[in-house]
Amino acid sequence: MWNFLRIIIIASISFVAFSQEENESPKAPLLLQIITPEKNEIRKYAKLELGFEVPERLNNRINAFIHENPIRGQRSINPFLEWELDIVAVFKHLETGQEIERSGFYYVDMQRDFRLNGWRNIDTEFPLRVRFAPTESGEWEVNLKLNVLGELYRVSQPLKFTVLESTNKGFVSLHSSKRYFERDGEMILPTGANLPFPSINNNRVWTHNPKEKLNLETWYFFQNDIQRYVNEGGKYFRFFMSPLATEIEFEKLGNYFDRQYAAWEMDKMIDFCEENDVLINFNLMYHTPIMQMADYYMFAHDYTDNWHDPSTPPHKDVNPPYAYSKEFNSRMPSDFPLNPEAMRFFKQRIRYIMARWGYTPAISTIELLSEPWHMNENWMEHYVPYDSIGALGDSARKAAHIYHREIANYIKEELNINHYLLGAVGKFPRGQESIFSNIEHPNIKYNDSSWFEKNIDFISLSYYASQPDKMIISKRGRSNNDCEEGENSYTCGIEKLQNVYDKPVIFGESDHGDFSNSCSDLEGHKIDLMRLNLSGVAGHYIWGAYMYKPGDNVTVLDQRRIWPEIVKTQNYYEQDFILDILKSGPEFGRQRSTIRGRNGYLKEHHYITNKDESNAVGVLYNRTFNIGNAITEPLQYEDPHGDCTINNESFHEAIEITWRPKKMTLQGLQPRTNYLISYFDYKNHSLVNVFEVRSNRRGNLNLVHPVLGKDR
């Protein structure tokens, strides 16, 4: 009896001590400090970082969680979850009264250690921080509240600061046409590369070693690549948060401490982009965690703990599965978007991302998920339920839709992050009637209607095709500028999506397919870079532009060789006269044509004309020069079985094409008017020739052009 009472008394004393700590009344206001180096010259749209000294008792409880070393009688505090620790800063522009609320985040300072090929944590007196980019010059005031376990713990003294005018540019927004993007009132047409994540030497791509850590070398090369790309003139690239190297949450639910090295490196990447006025299309989630078994052998980073062994059925992966699979005892990726409790944790991940990087104008646009059609997919079994009919397909499509709706609403309506355009990725719905990313069939009960969501601002397409006629598969009739019944072309597909959803469309990634860029010596990339922007898209990021092996002398493996072509195309399409055409409410035209004595449609052209019909820009393409025959010499590459086969025999032989006798027609111009037509080659954009041609009474102009060969 005595032992029983003694236990009760001890427990009671512990409870009282804990209760007093939790109910401590707010006092000793926090002293905010500006910790960005330019603290005395704060500039409009530049990063302003604030910190404060964390009260010792709270700091001890945070460290108890971080280091998994509990303090007797005190509850540990997880600084990554807002119901345990919540930092709310309200910035007020004193002249206009505008108020902007931002969340704070837990920060771990780090240092690269090349000797260890990794990172070391560094002590900082400001582990709790807030970031903000002032949107107006003038006087500002910020007040901060610190909540612990849902109760007010401390408030800050008001901090006033002055923001100076600057040449920094603001956030990307929608153009009034709802077809394009603009920045500070000027239209932009982002053309860039996918620089998705560090992956040099495949470090941690398909590791079967649970103790393997990401090498510092991998991030070092990646940061250098971004700097090289920018130094060569690149202004736009697309980046992914991937469990391979850049994700902040994978192994542990709601605990991002072990992946702070990735966050620290992303800080450096964004700092560099801010300094050089570079814009990132930032994708919040690579698709492997929504797959049962990931593609390209990345089994260590999919939802389940299966690992494929060619000699046996899938067996248990020694690497930990996705935290959501483990914590919610789930084997199907669609479970977590459809589980409110799982999404509650996932939104905390989004909250942390927005708190740490959601301040910066260097992020141009945000995609919420890379390729949603991988939901529940088993790559090894070629099983893709997203495109199947029945309950499993409906579940996958519903999960993709709910994910986009919940995350978009959370960012814009709960976090009040309204300065970014949010996008949903999908497959290009080819065909006259299709409007969804998934296949469409009468027996499908649930379509992925993410693109209809009010907080989704743009459509991002992921589309791969190697055929040289892919941009105009079918088209008949005499009108180049109208989408005819039965026409299957990029331009009409883009126009259909724009009309249905009233949103801009970009190609978030496009390419010819696996290994094709190597066997074609990237010639297909150069052709696609020039013609895709003439289809009505608001931007284009080519995929095969980042893979290489450091120190390898086989140059064909180095896809970075395409960067100069990306930069040339970027600069070409952002010339004032082209942007003026796009602003005018342009006409989009395209045409395919045969030539005498040959089978098939061997040439095509695409163009846009401005509203008053005085100006046009376009591209002519000889389809017989393609990835199947564009190489100029025998090339050696790792996989000799890459898919460079062109199915249509009409395109097997590369021939030169003149303008006679089948002339291509430019339509929608002023009648009986002389036009100067300048031609540039697609490789280096140098001037080839200039012709003067007169339009007829209908405003049609028959093009006279140089010989279309391998160099133009």
Side-chain angles (χ1 to χ4, degrees):
M1 184 68 178
W2 169 250
N3 288 337
F4 177 77
L5 289 174
R6 183 172 58 182
I7 293 172
I8 292 294
I9 291 170
I10 291 173
S12 177
I13 291 172
S14 298
F15 178 80
V16 170
F18 176 77
S19 178
Q20 288 174 342
E21 170 68 5
E22 294 309 316
N23 293 322
E24 184 178 358
S25 60
K27 57 183 179 181
L30 302 169
L31 299 179
L32 295 178
Q33 298 188 45
I34 298 172
I35 56 179
T36 35
E38 301 80 9
K39 62 177 65 179
N40 296 321
E41 290 191 1
I42 302 167
R43 297 285 177 174
K44 181 179 177 180
Y45 288 127
K47 179 169 72 174
L48 170 66
E49 189 157 5
L50 305 175
F52 55 89
E53 186 176 347
V54 183
E56 182 179 2
R57 296 173 71 182
L58 175 60
N59 193 51
N60 290 338
R61 294 166 68 188
I62 293 173
N63 287 333
F65 172 83
I66 293 298
H67 302 297
E68 299 180 350
N69 186 21
I71 302 172
R72 182 179 180 184
Q74 294 188 18
R75 176 174 173 178
S76 301
I77 299 295
N78 181 347
F80 303 113
L81 301 178
E82 67 177 321
W83 52 82
E84 298 210 14
L85 188 144
D86 185 25
I87 305 168
V88 180
V90 178
F91 295 84
K92 183 176 182 179
H93 188 244
L94 297 182
E95 181 180 347
T96 63
Q98 178 192 20
E99 292 188 349
I100 301 176
E101 183 178 296
R102 290 291 177 262
S103 299
F105 63 96
Y106 181 80
Y107 174 82
V108 179
D109 202 4
M110 310 202 92
Q111 187 177 67
R112 288 174 171 178
D113 189 327
F114 287 92
R115 183 178 60 85
L116 298 175
N117 199 5
W119 296 262
R120 290 190 296 109
N121 295 354
I122 300 176
D123 290 337
T124 175
E125 59 179 318
F126 302 117
L128 299 181
R129 301 188 175 194
V130 177
R131 289 177 179 170
F132 179 61
T135 54
E136 299 288 346
S137 59
E139 300 298 318
W140 287 78
E141 180 180 279
V142 57
N143 289 275
L144 180 143
K145 292 190 301 183
L146 176 61
N147 300 312
V148 176
L149 298 177
E151 300 291 336
L152 183 62
Y153 189 85
R154 290 284 195 279
V155 297
S156 72
Q157 286 187 353
L159 174 66
K160 292 185 178 181
F161 56 92
T162 302
V163 175
L164 305 177
E165 276 294 343
S166 73
T167 58
N168 299 329
K169 295 180 181 178
F171 296 96
V172 171
S173 59
L174 288 179
H175 184 259
S176 58
S177 66
K178 295 186 179 181
R179 299 294 181 265
Y180 297 97
F181 304 134
E182 66 179 24
R183 194 180 191 197
D184 292 348
E186 296 296 324
M187 181 180 285
I188 60 174
L189 189 65
T191 303
N194 275 268
L195 305 178
F197 38 72
S199 60
I200 304 304
N201 292 330
N202 296 319
N203 181 218
R204 283 187 59 81
V205 173
W206 43 73
T207 178
H208 208 175
N209 178 5
K211 294 183 179 181
E212 182 179 356
K213 302 295 184 182
L214 186 76
N215 292 336
L216 172 59
E217 176 190 59
T218 311
W219 259 106
Y220 175 77
F221 279 117
F222 182 70
Q223 298 280 30
N224 286 351
D225 282 345
I226 291 174
Q227 294 175 22
R228 172 180 161 180
Y229 175 72
V230 172
N231 290 337
E232 291 187 12
K235 292 168 55 179
Y236 309 98
F237 70 91
R238 184 170 180 245
F239 171 84
F240 296 79
M241 295 199 70
S242 164
L244 164 68
T246 54
E247 184 58 86
I248 60 168
E249 178 191 55
F250 188 79
E251 295 86 1
K252 297 179 179 179
L253 186 73
N255 185 347
Y256 320 141
F257 182 75
D258 290 344
R259 285 180 167 255
Q260 285 294 301
Y261 68 86
W264 186 86
E265 289 285 354
M266 284 189 277
D267 282 347
K268 304 307 173 189
M269 176 186 75
I270 289 176
D271 286 346
F272 176 79
C273 292
E274 289 173 349
E275 293 167 5
N276 292 273
D277 193 26
V278 175
L279 293 177
I280 309 168
N281 180 15
F282 198 99
N283 191 292
L284 294 181
M285 188 180 188
Y286 193 59
H287 61 262
T288 51
I290 65 168
M291 301 181 71
Q292 293 184 64
M293 185 164 278
D295 48 4
Y296 303 103
Y297 305 96
M298 292 189 284
F299 309 139
H301 303 116
D302 54 25
Y303 192 78
T304 65
D305 60 357
N306 288 331
W307 187 279
H308 179 74
D309 184 334
S311 63
T312 65
H315 61 82
K316 187 176 178 61
D317 181 8
V318 296
N319 294 280
Y322 195 27
Y324 291 83
S325 173
K326 177 182 177 182
E327 295 297 330
F328 295 98
N329 193 27
S330 167
R331 300 288 295 173
M332 194 62 69
S334 58
D335 291 344
F336 100 80
L338 300 177
N339 181 340
E341 182 62 17
M343 285 296 280
R344 179 171 176 253
F345 276 88
F346 192 85
K347 288 174 181 177
Q348 293 301 292
R349 170 189 177 274
I350 299 296
R351 175 178 171 272
Y352 186 89
I353 293 168
M354 291 296 107
R356 188 153 185 166
W357 302 298
Y359 71 91
T360 178
I363 293 178
S364 60
T365 45
I366 292 178
E367 298 169 346
L368 305 186
L369 175 63
S370 66
E371 292 180 344
W373 60 85
H374 290 293
M375 184 70 71
N376 294 347
E377 179 179 346
N378 184 326
W379 182 64
M380 294 303 301
E381 301 296 330
H382 307 289
Y383 172 60
V384 186
Y386 184 90
D387 276 334
S388 67
I389 300 169
L392 294 178
D394 290 330
S395 178
R397 290 183 289 271
K398 182 178 180 180
H401 176 210
I402 296 300
Y403 170 88
H404 282 105
R405 184 180 70 195
E406 289 287 309
I407 300 306
N409 291 354
Y410 179 71
I411 291 173
K412 293 207 168 188
E413 297 178 11
E414 295 188 46
L415 297 179
N416 294 312
I417 304 291
N418 293 298
H419 50 267
Y420 289 133
L421 301 176
L422 305 183
V425 178
K427 290 185 289 188
F428 196 176
R430 300 299 295 266
Q432 188 131 10
E433 303 299 327
S434 299
I435 63 169
F436 295 115
S437 173
N438 56 263
I439 61 168
E440 296 179 44
H441 189 277
N443 293 334
I444 285 181
K445 297 180 180 179
Y446 200 108
N447 287 300
D448 178 5
S449 55
S450 298
W451 289 335
F452 278 117
E453 289 298 324
K454 62 179 180 178
N455 286 322
I456 296 296
D457 300 298
F458 68 95
I459 296 168
S460 181
L461 300 176
S462 178
Y463 190 67
Y464 291 77
S466 60
Q467 290 296 108
D469 60 347
K470 62 187 177 182
M471 289 196 67
I472 310 176
I473 294 176
S474 64
K475 180 173 178 60
R476 290 180 172 82
R478 296 185 176 182
S479 174
N480 291 353
N481 299 359
D482 296 325
C483 289
E484 306 158 342
E485 184 176 355
E487 178 175 337
N488 191 347
S489 66
Y490 274 27
T491 301
C492 291
I494 300 299
E495 180 181 293
K496 173 188 61 183
L497 291 175
Q498 291 170 339
N499 291 338
V500 170
Y501 298 101
D502 198 24
K503 297 173 182 179
V505 179
I506 70 169
F507 279 102
E509 58 189 82
S510 74
D511 203 335
H512 304 293
D514 296 340
F515 310 115
S516 63
N517 41 45
S518 296
C519 59
S520 68
D521 198 21
L522 300 176
E523 291 299 298
H525 279 46
K526 300 173 187 178
I527 293 168
D528 279 359
L529 280 165
M530 284 304 300
R531 58 182 181 157
L532 257 64
N533 280 348
L534 294 168
S535 64
V537 294
H540 173 212
Y541 300 86
I542 205 157
W543 178 256
Y546 71 96
M547 287 179 271
Y548 68 98
K549 280 191 173 182
D552 201 315
N553 293 323
V554 184
T555 57
V556 72
L557 292 175
D558 193 342
Q559 296 177 355
R560 298 172 300 178
R561 293 182 302 121
I562 197 63
W563 290 355
E565 311 303 325
I566 295 172
V567 172
K568 290 172 189 174
T569 307
Q570 159 203 288
N571 294 339
Y572 180 80
Y573 279 109
E574 287 200 335
Q575 294 181 90
D576 288 341
F577 90 93
I578 295 180
L579 295 180
D580 287 342
I581 292 175
L582 297 177
K583 293 175 188 176
S584 72
E587 289 279 348
F588 291 86
R590 64 245 157 254
Q591 181 186 12
R592 62 178 186 169
S593 176
T594 59
I595 64 173
R596 181 173 295 175
R598 296 277 181 168
N599 292 325
Y601 294 91
L602 301 188
K603 59 181 177 178
E604 69 181 45
H605 76 138
H606 305 263
Y607 59 88
I608 53 175
T609 59
N610 63 351
K611 193 171 185 179
D612 66 8
E613 304 170 341
S614 62
N615 216 341
V617 61
V619 61
L620 285 156
Y621 172 45
N622 177 350
R623 291 173 167 180
T624 71
F625 283 88
N626 50 62
I627 66 169
N629 55 45
I631 53 178
T632 56
E633 60 184 86
L635 298 170
Q636 301 297 320
Y637 50 93
E638 275 198 332
D639 190 339
H641 305 294
D643 184 13
C644 292
T645 303
I646 301 300
N647 296 326
N648 191 328
E649 291 184 3
S650 301
F651 306 135
H652 287 182
E653 179 189 0
I655 63 173
E656 293 185 339
I657 296 177
T658 67
W659 59 274
R660 290 189 177 96
K662 288 271 192 176
K663 297 178 182 178
M664 307 295 281
T665 304
L666 199 65
Q667 299 178 354
L669 299 177
Q670 296 173 0
R672 296 189 175 95
T673 302
N674 291 341
Y675 287 88
L676 285 177
I677 312 294
S678 300
Y679 291 94
F680 303 84
D681 72 81
Y682 80 99
K683 283 192 172 182
N684 57 32
H685 294 206
S686 61
L687 181 66
V688 175
N689 213 329
V690 179
F691 295 89
E692 183 174 336
V693 187
R694 185 175 178 82
S695 62
N696 63 19
R697 61 185 178 88
R698 295 188 180 89
N700 297 337
L701 183 152
N702 291 327
L703 287 175
V704 178
H705 60 77
V707 174
L708 302 179
K710 66 180 180 180
D711 294 323
R712 60 181 69 137

